[in-house]
Amino acid sequence: MAPQSVEEECVSGANLIAEALKMQNVEYIFGIVGVPITEIAVAAQASGIKYVGMRNEQAASYAASAVGYLTGRPGVCLVVSGPGLVHALAGMANANMNCWPLIVIGGSSDRNQETMGAFQEFPQAVRNSIYGRPGACYVDIPGDFVNLQVNKSTVRYVECCPAPPISMAEESAVSKAASFIAHSRKPLLIIGKGAAYARAEDSIRKLVDQCGLPFLPTPMGKGVVPDNHPCCVAAARSRALQSADVIILLGARLNWILHFGLPPRFRPDVKIIQVDICAEELGNNVRPVAALLGDIKAVTGQLLEHLNRKLWKYPSGTEWWSELQAKMKSNEETSKALSLRKQRLMNYYTVFHHIRELLPKDCILVSEGANTMDIGRTMLPNYHPRHRLDAGTFGTMGVGLGFAIAAAMVTKDHSPERRVVCIEGDSAFGFSGMEVETICRYNLPIIMIIVNNNGIYSGLDSGTWKEILELGEPATRAPPVCLLPNAHYEQIAAAFGGKGYFVQTPEELQAALKRSLVEKCTPSLINIMIDPQSDRKEQDFHWLTRSNL
């Protein structure tokens, strides 16, 4: 009798995808399952990858991109093609603008249905995610691949992609840059989120400490050097930008956030020293006197070595320091006066004053919303790198809860005692408010704070809203910036098992935040009512200043 043949072990396409992701050190997948990708999510869980089911692909792609920024390895967003991919495009665009690694995997129609108008068919492209300037990458998985069975012995997995090679700047360019810095009268170091992503904090802190350079962080560059460092001049931002004669850009771009490097926000004769990983970025808007192409951490070390050879340190008693310190003191006094102002309803400054008093120094802050984000940036300090996430280069609203979920997943695995606090305007919260259910389903102890002014930029009080209702047709009579007054967003958290707090006074705010910080195992949402007409303090320039060139 002939021996029976042993059936060869087979593996599905879904399992191959999951194992390939595991080989690339992917830890987290965010997405919404559907045909034909459900099996991929199940296989990913079986392989040990954490799958987080979201309520909208847009928020899922935001979360996956934030993981890429926080960990240095790309997060993955899993979507169906067609409308699922369309929803995820916002996160892909945001990742590209922020230069964060992201992989979006979509399941499309079977191969034999291509170009036939099959269910949710969509054309795709693949791009590099980690090397050079990080960004979004889309990988398309035909539906029949997911359940296709192949002989396991024939599978050849690709080894884990190593970290990008470290590139150094040309020594002649470094020497030239060091010479300009050493001869500057009003130097300024600008630290961007590119420096945070590059994990350059140790070398940049050495540069600041040893050379005594005034520095200004961009919004997500905050914490690379602590905001309470004596060389931080963030409280005199406009004056520092407008008067500096030599500016060193470390992973920061001269885009709208830095007013393109042009007058009236900068001196016409300012000398720019630009350090960036991307050659295409060098010389954008302003031609630099020294262009240093390379890894920010490595190039900062090169700069420090050259300055140390010169035994150079910027003096602490210069007119430049006196000018900056005087302006900082004046701005801080103005903000403090606004925060202590007694009125029936709180303003932004009062809210952030009380939040700042209670927040742990090592918490991760997520922020979005116009005034909420901008004022919060100036009022809430950061002490650690990559501990602030906000609307970023694209100015994207709706990122907050996705970012917070990503941060909570990462901290839960690596720093479980660290809190994630998501502070949003009521309008920004509306973009992804249903992700509160995701937060509660996974029991992520995120503290959500909504600074509620009843609108977009500004709103109406309940009395004025009532008058409009009495006139009829509120949809056509209410100003376009208005939202429903006194909306009880905290009830959304309570509906899903979280804690909800409705706050109208400083005392109620303090009590709610203290309880939320003690409650380390339950999500909470604090809905803070403020004066609908509350605004920023008077600014020297409009936030989106046009160049006069």
Side-chain angles (χ1 to χ4, degrees):
M1 187 174 179
Q4 286 186 316
S5 62
V6 179
E7 186 176 344
E8 293 181 327
E9 185 178 0
C10 291
V11 63
S12 71
N15 288 112
L16 288 177
I17 295 164
E19 289 301 321
L21 291 173
K22 186 75 173 176
M23 287 286 292
Q24 297 302 318
N25 288 342
V26 169
E27 294 185 70
Y28 307 96
I29 295 178
F30 303 84
I32 298 179
V33 295
V35 177
I37 60 167
T38 302
E39 290 83 359
I40 298 175
V42 173
Q45 286 183 319
S47 73
I49 297 174
K50 296 177 178 66
Y51 173 79
V52 181
M54 306 286 282
R55 298 304 298 265
N56 186 286
E57 292 92 350
Q58 190 176 88
S61 60
Y62 293 148
S65 68
V67 161
Y69 174 65
L70 292 169
T71 68
R73 300 295 295 187
V76 170
C77 177
L78 185 63
V79 300
V80 297
S81 66
L85 176 59
V86 169
H87 290 168
L89 286 176
M92 296 175 72
N94 196 62
N96 274 343
M97 293 297 290
N98 279 337
C99 307
W100 293 353
L102 165 68
I103 295 174
V104 176
I105 296 177
S108 64
S109 56
D110 291 358
R111 287 167 296 166
N112 63 0
Q113 295 178 335
E114 288 178 2
T115 74
M116 294 174 60
F119 179 59
Q120 296 185 345
E121 182 180 36
F122 198 89
Q124 295 87 13
V126 177
R127 287 169 288 172
N128 191 298
S129 178
I130 298 177
Y131 281 40
R133 172 178 280 182
C137 169
Y138 180 73
V139 180
D140 178 54
I141 309 294
D144 51 336
F145 270 26
V146 174
N147 293 308
L148 187 68
Q149 298 288 319
V150 297
N151 188 333
K152 191 173 184 178
S153 64
T154 65
V155 176
R156 297 291 180 267
Y157 290 102
V158 177
E159 292 183 358
C160 181
C161 177
I166 295 174
S167 55
M168 310 279 279
E170 295 180 358
E171 281 295 319
S172 59
V174 178
S175 178
K176 186 178 182 181
S179 180
F180 274 108
I181 294 170
H183 289 90
S184 63
R185 294 178 61 249
K186 296 183 175 183
L188 179 66
L189 182 68
I190 298 181
I191 303 170
K193 69 174 175 290
Y197 180 79
R199 274 64 180 166
E201 52 267 18
D202 290 341
S203 57
I204 293 176
R205 289 178 191 183
K206 285 181 183 178
L207 178 66
V208 171
D209 288 338
Q210 293 184 29
C211 296
L213 285 168
F215 76 88
L216 174 69
T218 63
M220 278 190 273
K222 283 164 62 72
V224 170
V225 181
D227 283 348
N228 62 349
H229 192 284
C231 289
C232 181
V233 296
R237 181 182 186 275
S238 292
R239 180 64 56 85
L241 293 177
Q242 193 177 28
S243 302
D245 64 349
V246 173
I247 292 178
I248 308 102
L249 295 172
L250 294 180
R253 290 173 279 177
L254 292 177
N255 52 25
W256 67 274
I257 293 177
L258 286 174
H259 322 292
F260 312 107
L262 299 172
R265 301 302 295 267
F266 288 73
R267 286 170 51 151
D269 61 346
V270 64
K271 296 176 177 62
I272 299 293
I273 297 167
Q274 196 168 7
V275 182
D276 206 283
I277 191 67
C278 179
E280 293 86 345
E281 193 60 43
L282 299 173
N284 190 22
N285 294 321
V286 177
R287 183 175 179 176
V289 295
L292 281 63
L293 177 64
D295 176 81
I296 294 166
K297 179 180 179 180
V299 175
T300 302
Q302 289 179 279
L303 264 178
L304 183 57
E305 183 180 342
H306 277 257
L307 291 169
N308 282 341
R309 286 183 206 158
K310 297 175 181 289
L311 301 177
W312 181 83
K313 182 171 184 176
Y314 187 67
S316 59
T318 62
E319 289 184 9
W320 179 226
W321 264 122
S322 297
E323 180 183 350
L324 291 172
Q325 287 164 350
K327 186 61 175 176
M328 285 191 289
K329 183 179 179 182
S330 172
N331 285 343
E332 287 165 353
E333 288 175 349
T334 300
S335 295
K336 184 176 180 180
L338 286 168
S339 68
L340 298 177
R341 181 180 292 174
K342 301 293 184 183
Q343 54 193 85
R344 188 176 66 86
L345 292 172
M346 290 183 284
N347 61 41
Y348 286 104
Y349 294 88
T350 303
V351 167
F352 286 119
H353 168 75
H354 290 288
I355 291 175
R356 183 179 59 201
E357 295 297 306
L358 294 173
L359 283 188
K361 283 190 173 184
D362 65 345
C363 72
I364 293 181
L365 282 172
V366 180
S367 183
E368 64 172 333
N371 286 335
T372 298
M373 182 175 66
D374 292 339
I375 299 172
R377 183 186 68 248
T378 65
M379 295 280 292
L380 300 178
N382 287 92
Y383 303 96
H384 303 280
R386 297 169 297 280
H387 277 50
R388 177 182 167 86
L389 298 164
D390 64 23
T393 307
F394 219 22
T396 310
M397 295 299 150
V399 297
L401 294 184
F403 282 1
I405 290 168
M409 291 298 296
V410 172
T411 56
K412 185 178 181 181
D413 290 340
H414 302 285
S415 304
E417 294 302 313
R418 189 165 295 162
R419 302 307 301 270
V420 176
V421 180
C422 182
I423 305 176
E424 308 194 294
D426 50 330
S427 171
F429 175 77
F431 283 89
S432 55
M434 272 305 291
E435 298 303 335
V436 173
E437 187 273 335
T438 307
I439 291 169
C440 291
R441 181 170 13 113
Y442 289 96
N443 200 30
L444 300 174
I446 298 168
I447 299 174
M448 295 162 278
I449 299 176
I450 298 176
V451 184
N452 189 346
N453 69 344
N454 298 340
I456 305 168
Y457 304 116
S458 62
L460 297 177
D461 58 51
S462 55
T464 306
W465 182 258
K466 184 178 179 181
E467 292 174 5
I468 292 175
L469 289 177
E470 289 172 350
L471 292 172
E473 300 182 9
T476 56
R477 294 179 180 273
V481 296
C482 290
L483 299 174
L484 186 68
N486 300 337
H488 282 265
Y489 298 112
E490 78 284 351
Q491 294 181 4
I492 298 176
F496 296 122
K499 301 286 186 181
Y501 303 95
F502 186 72
V503 164
Q504 294 178 292
T505 67
E507 294 75 21
E508 290 174 347
L509 170 55
Q510 291 174 350
L513 187 50
K514 286 178 181 177
R515 286 197 293 269
S516 298
L517 288 167
V518 170
E519 198 61 68
K520 295 184 178 181
C521 299
T522 306
S524 61
L525 194 158
I526 304 172
N527 183 17
I528 306 172
M529 301 307 305
I530 66 167
D531 181 351
Q533 300 304 310
S534 178
D535 205 349
R536 299 179 67 184
K537 67 180 180 66
E538 187 176 347
Q539 303 293 300
D540 294 333
F541 296 96
H542 186 270
W543 70 274
L544 194 60
T545 308
R546 269 70 176 178
S547 168
N548 60 13
L549 290 183

